[in-house]
Amino acid sequence: MKISKDTVATFHYRLTADDELLIEDSFKNEPLTYLHGHQNLIIGMENALENKSEGDKFSITIPPEEAYGQRIDEMVQLVPITAFDAVDELFEGMRFTATTDAGDVPVVITQIENDQVTVDGNHPLAGQTLNFSVEILSIRPATAEEIEHGHVHGAGGHHH
Ligand code: ZN
């Protein structure tokens, strides 16, 4: 069978960014299983996987617009260090969840200078062109429950 809406596909992938830096390599870990056609993956990847068959191998380059979007300058903010008084230890690269008007946003501290902390709410891969090498391992029809929930159950999916 081929990957289409409401099928569940399992695949391995290797992901590198613009600078050839290896970001993820599922071949060394567990493959990814997902429900196709329910926006569980970045759109560029769902499009590339459409109509693929078991055993297919391919490489694809996905621009930011079809991946995690462009970086948004407004999502980088300077915060006075006093806002972190309740935090024991503060360091560059530290990740936490910020509560904003738009809901909870995962952010990272990119710089601490004097009494100012730079906080970046962009996705770590925003603005990056992504290169994937993919191998399709298996494809099956989704269950009615999976389609209703919009995600995969069982191995590699949700357990509930
Ligand atoms: Zn579910």
Side-chain angles (χ1 to χ4, degrees):
M1 77 184 294
K2 290 179 184 295
I3 298 176
S4 60
K5 186 166 166 61
D6 298 338
T7 59
V8 171
T10 299
F11 68 96
H12 268 309
Y13 66 97
R14 190 173 291 116
L15 166 60
T16 57
D18 289 339
D19 46 13
E20 305 283 301
L21 196 73
L22 180 66
I23 296 169
E24 279 175 31
D25 186 354
S26 82
F27 289 91
K28 294 185 174 135
N29 300 293
E30 292 294 304
L32 181 67
T33 298
Y34 80 105
L35 173 62
H36 189 78
H38 292 257
Q39 296 168 348
N40 288 309
L41 304 180
I42 56 174
I43 187 65
M45 185 53 103
E46 289 231 7
N47 290 343
L49 287 163
E50 179 89 25
N51 274 321
K52 290 289 191 292
S53 306
E54 221 168 277
D56 280 358
K57 294 180 188 177
F58 65 94
S59 294
I60 182 161
T61 297
I62 302 179
E65 304 76 57
E66 295 179 11
Y68 294 97
Q70 297 291 355
R71 288 183 56 80
I72 299 167
D73 290 343
E74 288 71 27
M75 296 195 59
V76 179
Q77 298 201 324
L78 271 178
V79 181
I81 201 161
T82 50
F84 296 92
D85 278 350
V87 181
D88 286 339
E89 197 191 1
L90 217 54
F91 55 92
E92 289 173 9
M94 183 176 177
R95 297 184 175 280
F96 60 96
T97 301
T99 304
T100 71
D101 295 342
D104 287 349
V105 179
V107 299
V108 60
I109 291 178
T110 53
Q111 194 174 47
I112 303 172
E113 210 169 56
N114 302 320
D115 52 357
Q116 297 283 330
V117 179
T118 306
V119 173
D120 188 350
N122 285 290
H123 188 282
L125 293 177
Q128 302 245 33
T129 296
L130 306 180
N131 306 294
F132 286 92
S133 299
V134 177
E135 178 177 355
I136 314 291
L137 300 180
S138 64
I139 306 165
R140 66 166 171 84
T143 64
E145 194 184 43
E146 286 173 327
I147 294 168
E148 190 189 323
H149 288 197
H151 57 227
V152 165
H153 291 160
H158 287 244
H159 298 270
H160 63 144

